[in-house]
Amino acid sequence: MDRVLIIGAGAAGSVVAQKCAMDRDTFKHITLASRRIESCEKVAKLCKTPIEIAQVDADNVAEVVALIEKVKPDLLINMALPYQDLPIMDACLETGCNYMDTANYEPRDVAKFEYHWQWAYHDRFKEKGITAILGCGFDPGVTNVYCAYAQEHLFDEIEYIDIVDCNAGDHGKTFATNFNPEINLREVTQDGKYWKNGEWIEIPALSINCDIDYPEVGPKDSYLIYHEEEESLVKHIKGLKQIRFWMTFGAEYIKHLQVFKSIGLIGLEPIKHKGMDIIPMEFLKDLLPPPSSLAENYTGKTSIGVIVRGKKDGKSLTKMIYNVSDHAETNKEVSAQAVSYTTGVPPVSGAAMFFRGEWAGKGVFNVEQFPAKPFLEDVAKRGLPWHVIDVKPGDQDELFAVET
Amino acid sequence: MDRVLIIGAGAAGSVVAQKCAMDRDTFKHITLASRRIESCEKVAKLCKTPIEIAQVDADNVAEVVALIEKVKPDLLINMALPYQDLPIMDACLETGCNYMDTANYEPRDVAKFEYHWQWAYHDRFKEKGITAILGCGFDPGVTNVYCAYAQEHLFDEIEYIDIVDCNAGDHGKTFATNFNPEINLREVTQDGKYWKNGEWIEIPALSINCDIDYPEVGPKDSYLIYHEEEESLVKHIKGLKQIRFWMTFGAEYIKHLQVFKSIGLIGLEPIKHKGMDIIPMEFLKDLLPPPSSLAENYTGKTSIGVIVRGKKDGKSLTKMIYNVSDHAETNKEVSAQAVSYTTGVPPVSGAAMFFRGEWAGKGVFNVEQFPAKPFLEDVAKRGLPWHVIDVKPGDQDELFAVET
């Protein structure tokens, strides 16, 4: 197995293609496809070794089927929009092609961030004898594997997980999102949610925040939001009592969000404008700078990880597992800011795991269901080193004091 | 003279029609015309006496000409959009119809708030033997007449004028504009400007603010912005050293403006959205609540006036002339909030002045060029009483301390 088809040539898709093209031992044949062939051409020029490119409308199952039949990939890596997960999975089922993505399926009309649509494909993928690996970006993705690693190697029993996501970068713009604005604004402005003692507890959007101390960055104001990996982790981490997800936002970011919400700019229902139906959120997306335009002059670091509390040999302990990436360094390496980089490198490692047979199974899987260590070693070599530290009494006091 | 044609059936146009319909001695024949006939029907139902309605596209000179020829008005009151002032004036010239408006002509592509386009019609109106009365709303309009009254009756010499505009109302919405959002946002987000010693001095938008003490409202944070009546007042108030215009904005309003500006939502250049050309400002207008929807449940007051400093009988003195209107009361009377009311009542008085021959002249005029007192007495009877108070040493200290 050494043939890969990447669909989606946005900021993160570009990183996937470039990183695959740096490892021709593993990826002998690489095709990058996108709705806009010019995007593929741009990425191909950035690749250190030659790749194939193709035009495809990922919403159109027949087009994706035809492309798979032509390219004959061993694995399709879906870096397109979350709306397109299901048509692409349908095309994989029809052609018997293995599948991987980095973000769960979303219906276009309402933000859900739920896995059930894709999990419903499990039996069909199993019967067809093929594999689907869901959510193999950074978060979801590497953060899930950190949890799996903690379960396998650091704890006998995991009780509490806090996933903590900090982007301390500065792109010099008053407001911009680091990945697809539509997806970013949907996930941030929806009601918050966390899981405790077997139940999902909903909170108003951005209503709980605290300072979290991020490695190599320091304390940053962080908001409790819902994030999709929580849904799979509560299924796969045994004995869990609580899982929460936190993300840093600056004052300007919050101010912009509040205004977007107040005037209905993030609405998904079309409004009438000069006789046309315009979806405010989609119009907003076209107003904002594209995430790929942020790489240049982006400075600062991302610091993303998991803080796990539990027991080992009868003793309570708290560990933090994390990665720090530097916007300027990732831009130098692959012309992408660190948020695109941390999303684009993990699927390359996931694909390598799959090709080597380290990650194997017929059906639909989340990444924490596979062995953690070989993946973490591989993704470290490709540019995302991981660190494990002890969280000592007194550290992260504000986070642990939040009553949820 | 007793026939009036009102073009424009928005929130302020509705007030003009209703107030004319309350005075059938002066306005024997009333026609209300608008692009959307349903808007006229809605207003006609609110009128206490029957009015005629008609459909017209105010951008289309031929259509307006045909309407004037059919209705044969003695005066056309233009309550349409400022973009439409010139085509309507063209139609008046062609048909020999007298003209009045409440806001100066604006080109669609860039905010200017300048009178030169309309003043350029002076000779043609004069030759045709007809009258155009510009800016007969509240500000411009009543505020100009307050200044003219101060010049005629209260001062020998006027040195400083501050026009102060406070809306202390609460419409219960996080953000909405009290009149056409496009015009409101244009005037507020453009660079500020004031006039001193014969020169216009530009300042960055919303960069100068101070507390002003408004009658019946109290001190409110007010921003120096440019407003069109300053341009005509510096021509018509003799000996003037400085004129400034101030408007109150709440913290939420300013926050929304900053965000609109930062993401380009008030841009007048079209952006590409799904192959369509969309002008962000026009899209924003369709997102925001229409001003006419604000009347219900609107509470609080407007307090708008002029603070004049100058000399009388060799002595320095400071006077304030103002009106206070109450949103709930105006809504009860004519189903309109006070900003629409204070804009819609003055043209009715202006029309009455014109019909009675109190305001006369051939050519293009601003309202401060006509006798002030009969107008102020008339507009007081129709619902906008005026008050003159002494500003004593210690009053308005913060305003007078602003260095400009």
Side-chain angles (χ1 to χ4, degrees), chain A residues 92-310:
Chain A
C92 285
L93 265 179
E94 197 173 327
T95 52
C97 180
N98 299 297
Y99 172 89
M100 172 181 287
D101 68 30
T102 62
N104 65 5
Y105 168 72
E106 280 299 303
R108 280 196 193 262
D109 56 342
V110 59
K112 288 282 187 188
F113 299 98
E114 291 171 5
Y115 272 118
H116 62 85
W117 289 284
Q118 291 183 274
W119 284 343
Y121 279 70
H122 180 71
D123 290 346
R124 279 174 287 161
F125 267 69
K126 196 172 165 183
E127 278 161 30
K128 191 83 183 181
I130 53 175
T131 310
I133 301 171
L134 306 183
C136 192
F138 202 97
D139 49 335
V142 175
T143 51
N144 302 51
V145 181
Y146 287 162
C147 294
Y149 178 81
Q151 183 166 257
E152 287 169 30
H153 299 278
L154 307 177
F155 291 83
D156 295 329
E157 195 184 322
I158 290 178
E159 293 168 319
Y160 302 94
I161 294 173
D162 285 292
I163 304 169
V164 296
D165 181 333
C166 170
N167 179 6
D170 179 10
H171 47 55
K173 306 223 183 333
T174 324
F175 185 85
T177 59
N178 292 292
F179 56 98
N180 190 313
E182 207 175 322
I183 306 304
N184 177 244
L185 294 170
R186 275 186 180 210
E187 81 178 11
V188 173
T189 54
Q190 66 174 344
D191 279 346
K193 196 162 83 170
Y194 62 96
W195 186 90
K196 188 176 182 175
N197 300 329
E199 272 177 53
W200 289 104
I201 295 160
E202 295 205 16
I203 60 167
L206 308 177
S207 59
I208 297 181
N209 61 316
C210 70
D211 264 8
I212 294 174
D213 194 4
Y214 293 91
E216 297 187 41
V217 164
K220 289 276 171 191
D221 194 16
S222 308
Y223 290 76
L224 199 167
I225 68 172
Y226 174 64
H227 221 245
E228 63 202 74
E229 63 260 52
E230 296 173 87
E231 191 186 5
S232 67
L233 286 168
V234 299
K235 276 183 66 174
H236 300 130
I237 301 297
K238 303 298 161 207
L240 196 61
K241 289 181 180 167
Q242 178 180 275
I243 186 165
R244 305 180 296 191
F245 184 98
W246 304 84
M247 194 177 264
T248 56
F249 300 109
E252 275 296 324
Y253 189 97
I254 297 288
K255 175 171 134 181
H256 278 70
L257 279 188
Q258 287 167 339
V259 169
F260 295 167
K261 210 168 179 177
S262 114
I263 65 165
L265 245 188
I266 50 175
L268 298 171
E269 286 294 314
I271 69 158
K272 281 283 174 205
H273 174 65
K274 298 190 168 181
M276 300 173 280
D277 281 319
I278 307 278
I279 295 173
M281 172 71 98
E282 292 185 354
F283 181 73
L284 172 61
K285 182 180 161 185
D286 283 347
L287 262 187
L288 297 175
S292 57
S293 74
L294 301 177
E296 224 167 320
N297 306 319
Y298 208 140
T299 58
K301 291 171 178 178
T302 60
S303 181
I304 316 174
V306 300
I307 298 172
V308 180
R309 288 175 278 172

Side-chain angles (χ1 to χ4, degrees), chain B residues 124 130 211 256 274 319 342 353 396:
Chain B
R124 279 174 286 162
I130 53 175
D211 263 9
H256 278 70
K274 296 189 170 181
K319 296 275 190 186
T342 54
M353 290 299 103
Q396 308 293 3

Side-chain angles (χ1 to χ4, degrees), chain B residues 253-365:
Chain B
Y253 190 97
I254 296 288
K255 175 171 134 183
H256 278 70
L257 280 187
Q258 286 167 340
V259 169
F260 294 168
K261 214 167 175 176
S262 116
I263 64 164
L265 246 188
I266 51 175
L268 297 171
E269 287 293 316
I271 69 158
K272 282 282 173 206
H273 174 65
K274 296 189 170 181
M276 301 173 280
D277 281 319
I278 307 278
I279 295 174
M281 172 71 99
E282 293 186 353
F283 180 74
L284 172 61
K285 181 179 162 187
D286 284 346
L287 260 189
L288 297 175
S292 58
S293 74
L294 301 177
E296 224 167 320
N297 305 319
Y298 208 141
T299 58
K301 291 171 177 180
T302 59
S303 181
I304 316 175
V306 300
I307 298 173
V308 181
R309 287 175 280 171
K311 293 207 169 71
K312 176 78 176 174
D313 303 326
K315 274 194 212 161
S316 291
L317 77 167
T318 304
K319 296 275 190 186
M320 182 170 191
I321 315 177
Y322 67 91
N323 166 265
V324 172
S325 290
D326 183 291
H327 290 290
E329 283 174 22
T330 63
N331 187 39
K332 205 171 147 194
E333 186 192 331
V334 291
S335 305
Q337 36 98 348
V339 178
S340 310
Y341 189 87
T342 54
T343 308
V345 174
V348 180
S349 287
M353 290 299 103
F354 181 70
F355 286 174
R356 284 180 216 152
E358 301 257 19
W359 283 11
K362 304 302 176 200
V364 173
F365 300 90

